[in-house]
Amino acid sequence: MRRFTLKFKLTIVYTFFMVLVTGTALILLFSLSNREMLSSTQDILKHHVENGLDDVEMEDGNLEIDSDFYSVEDNVYLSVYNKDNYFMYGKIPYGFDEQPEFSDGELRKISQRYMDWYVFDLSVPQEGLYIRGITSITNAEKSFRITLRFAGIILPLLVIVMAVLGYFFTKRTLQPVRKITYTVRKIQEDADMSRRIGLRDAVEKNKKTKKTRDEIYDLAETFDEMLEQLEIAFQREKQFTSDVSHELRTPISVIMAQCDACLADESLSEEQRQQISLIYRKTKNMAEMISQLLLLSRADQGRQPLNRERLNVSEITEMIIEEQKMINGLSVGQVLIEAHIEPDIFAYIDETFYIRMIVNLLSNAIAYSKENGKVELSLTKTEHEVVGSIRDNGIGIPKEKLPYIWKRFYQVSPSRSGSHSGLGLSMVEWIVKAHGGWIKAESVLGEGSIFSFGLPLECKKQNEK
């Protein structure tokens, strides 16, 4: 189901209520106007009939009619009848054929031939005559219906105008929200906690235009303050990791040197030699972990440059595989490593970091492979990238755990990690992204995993170190 934006929803709600209010107001207005129009028509009819009394006089037994009596004003027709209902003078509107009985001083509504009429009769005192006024309700309502039709045309246009205005004002109101969303997305993409929304500066610049702050601006300012606090906290964490790693390097180096010196003493018993060797191996693992922490800490702080050169990636990868084969060949339950490498692939890479990336991926695949399993490495070239993949037939990774494998110190199966600290894949991800490439992992539980990556063949000048 399609999700509608908040801007669209607010525009629809605004337009709906504006149309509802406007429509209700127009209905009430036209209803009252119709009543007022009918009432006005009645008053006009009575007024003309009453004025017609002054135009009718009897002199020496003869009926004198003023010439104004014959004129039709305000669509009111006046006529004179005797007491026997005989028409004498005046005008009768076309379509008014029947002659209803006279009713002195009573306003009546009469329908004839699909037309409605108002009829008002007044008797002439002492003369035995009646003055009748007739006006068409249908003609009066016709102009009102024209107004209704005009309103029916204007209302859709008004709806469109209100929708456009509603969209404009909603867009203007939600502009800070859009900026907040953009800032959050950029922080997610670049992992740059120094970004700010900056609406506070915009408000201060617009003081001259008397722009006031609202709740959204307060939200943006609160969000900026939170980002600032988070950035300070992250910087402290990064600095703490860097400082601790630096401080630990010296004692670790001393321990390893002392272990070397002790192992050189031929007077040691076999049991003592094994114990010192164990200390040496664990210390060496700690030294490697500290080295990785320092690298990641420098990367977080933007202090880890890449020394990129145009190198034969195929040859470097083959050397890494031969070295890993020798190392793995000395272990129990060795894993077979197969390579499918396209020859003479050249790319701009940092050799040291590329080697570390491939070694981490291979050692990780070997560590989680089944006994006497197989690891396959392939390397090919596309138009713009070096594309590689490392496949193993090991224990696999549960689907729900795949998003977390790039996090530091995370281990899918700690019991099989051996000397792995959980920093290898974090480092691999940083190396790939620092080169401007991509990496992804796919896995089926119990069948194995595939780690695929792509590195650009060329290097942008601004990225070269």
Side-chain angles (χ1 to χ4, degrees):
M1 184 177 178
R2 182 182 177 185
R3 293 179 60 188
F4 295 103
T5 62
L6 180 60
K7 182 168 54 180
F8 179 80
K9 292 177 182 177
L10 289 176
T11 301
I12 293 297
V13 171
Y14 169 82
T15 304
F16 171 76
F17 280 106
M18 288 297 295
V19 170
L20 182 63
V21 171
T22 305
T24 303
L26 287 176
I27 290 173
L28 292 174
L29 178 63
F30 284 128
S31 176
L32 294 174
S33 298
N34 186 46
R35 294 181 183 179
E36 183 64 25
M37 182 268 298
L38 294 176
S39 177
S40 176
T41 302
Q42 296 172 4
D43 292 340
I44 291 172
L45 174 61
K46 291 179 181 180
H47 174 73
H48 281 286
V49 173
E50 290 170 354
N51 288 342
L53 291 175
D54 299 332
D55 297 331
V56 178
E57 294 180 356
M58 291 292 291
E59 291 185 4
D60 301 328
N62 295 322
L63 184 63
E64 297 290 336
I65 304 294
D66 192 278
S67 60
D68 292 339
F69 188 83
Y70 293 95
S71 63
V72 178
E73 296 181 7
D74 298 325
N75 201 33
V76 175
Y77 293 81
L78 297 177
S79 56
V80 178
Y81 293 81
N82 62 19
K83 60 182 179 180
D84 296 323
N85 201 21
Y86 179 76
F87 175 78
M88 300 177 66
Y89 300 99
K91 291 184 177 181
I92 299 174
Y94 177 78
F96 190 85
D97 299 331
E98 300 180 10
Q99 295 296 333
E101 294 295 328
F102 290 98
S103 179
D104 185 26
E106 181 183 354
L107 180 70
R108 289 172 292 168
K109 180 179 178 181
I110 296 176
S111 298
Q112 292 182 359
R113 293 189 179 184
Y114 307 105
M115 292 189 70
D116 295 327
W117 308 86
Y118 277 140
V119 177
F120 183 65
D121 300 325
L122 279 180
S123 62
V124 180
Q126 301 176 354
E127 304 296 340
L129 302 176
Y130 285 94
I131 296 178
R132 169 168 285 176
I134 304 171
T135 187
S136 172
I137 303 175
T138 304
N139 290 336
E141 289 179 335
K142 185 181 294 184
S143 61
F144 186 72
R145 285 196 293 271
I146 293 173
T147 305
L148 284 177
R149 293 193 189 100
F150 183 73
I153 297 173
I154 292 296
L155 187 59
L157 297 177
L158 187 63
V159 171
I160 295 173
V161 171
M162 286 190 293
V164 171
L165 290 176
Y167 180 83
F168 173 77
F169 287 116
T170 303
K171 181 180 179 181
R172 185 81 176 256
T173 303
L174 293 179
Q175 189 172 1
V177 177
R178 188 163 59 250
K179 192 168 184 181
I180 292 173
T181 305
Y182 172 80
T183 304
V184 172
R185 285 177 178 170
K186 293 302 291 183
I187 290 174
Q188 289 176 332
E189 292 173 3
D190 306 336
D192 183 7
M193 294 296 296
S194 64
R195 288 184 178 273
R196 297 292 181 270
I197 300 168
L199 292 184
R200 176 169 51 188
D201 297 335
V203 170
E204 291 176 355
K205 289 180 181 178
N206 289 321
K207 278 182 179 178
K208 293 181 180 179
T209 59
K210 297 183 180 179
K211 288 188 177 181
T212 57
R213 292 173 27 154
D214 55 19
E215 291 81 0
I216 296 180
Y217 278 80
D218 291 335
L219 173 64
E221 186 173 344
T222 304
F223 196 84
D224 279 344
E225 291 173 356
M226 182 190 70
L227 285 175
E228 189 171 348
Q229 293 174 359
L230 286 174
E231 183 184 13
I232 293 172
F234 286 142
Q235 289 297 336
R236 286 175 179 171
E237 181 184 351
K238 292 174 185 177
Q239 191 61 45
F240 174 77
T241 303
S242 179
D243 293 342
V244 169
S245 300
H246 274 291
E247 292 299 324
L248 287 175
R249 292 184 74 177
T250 300
I252 291 295
S253 299
V254 171
I255 294 173
M256 292 180 66
Q258 291 298 317
C259 287
D260 282 333
C262 290
L263 290 173
D265 187 357
E266 297 180 358
S267 63
L268 290 177
S269 64
E270 186 62 28
E271 183 180 357
Q272 291 172 329
R273 191 173 296 276
Q274 289 178 357
Q275 292 173 346
I276 294 173
S277 297
L278 177 61
I279 294 172
Y280 181 82
R281 287 197 302 273
K282 294 298 181 182
T283 306
K284 187 176 180 182
N285 291 340
M286 287 181 64
E288 178 63 22
M289 182 176 67
I290 290 170
S291 175
Q292 292 175 339
L293 279 173
L294 275 173
L295 187 148
L296 291 173
S297 177
R298 286 195 294 266
D300 289 340
Q301 297 174 8
R303 297 188 294 108
Q304 183 59 61
L306 295 183
N307 299 309
R308 301 175 72 166
E309 302 174 89
R310 191 171 186 273
L311 300 173
N312 192 324
V313 181
S314 302
E315 290 184 359
I316 296 173
T317 308
E318 288 173 353
M319 287 190 294
I320 296 170
I321 291 174
E322 291 302 320
E323 180 183 355
Q324 290 298 310
K325 283 182 178 179
M326 287 189 295
I327 295 173
N328 187 57
L330 301 177
S331 62
V332 179
Q334 63 181 359
V335 176
L336 176 64
I337 301 177
E338 288 187 0
H340 307 281
I341 301 174
E342 183 179 329
D344 296 328
I345 300 175
F346 287 86
Y348 281 90
I349 60 171
D350 184 303
E351 183 176 6
T352 303
F353 284 125
Y354 178 79
I355 292 173
R356 179 169 286 191
M357 179 189 75
I358 299 297
V359 168
N360 283 350
L361 290 173
L362 279 174
S363 61
N364 197 65
I366 293 169
Y368 289 94
S369 288
K370 299 174 183 177
E371 188 172 347
N372 297 318
K374 182 172 70 172
V375 172
E376 296 179 71
L377 186 149
S378 67
L379 196 71
T380 58
K381 181 180 71 171
T382 65
E383 185 178 356
H384 302 291
E385 288 182 321
V386 180
V387 179
S389 69
I390 296 177
R391 177 196 299 265
D392 66 68
N393 61 351
I395 62 174
I397 304 171
K399 186 177 181 180
E400 66 273 10
K401 293 185 177 181
L402 272 176
Y404 305 104
I405 62 175
W406 311 106
K407 295 184 179 295
R408 296 175 190 181
F409 298 107
Y410 182 82
Q411 296 177 349
V412 177
S413 179
S415 61
R416 294 181 61 111
S417 62
S419 61
H420 291 257
S421 61
L423 294 172
L425 289 180
S426 298
M427 185 176 299
V428 166
E429 184 184 38
W430 176 82
I431 293 171
V432 171
K433 290 185 176 180
H435 279 81
W438 56 267
I439 188 166
K440 65 178 181 178
E442 302 170 88
S443 185
V444 177
L445 192 62
E447 296 183 14
S449 305
I450 304 175
F451 286 82
S452 306
F453 64 87
L455 300 176
L457 294 174
E458 300 297 328
C459 172
K460 295 181 180 180
K461 291 183 179 180
Q462 60 266 32
N463 293 334
E464 292 180 356
K465 300 290 182 181

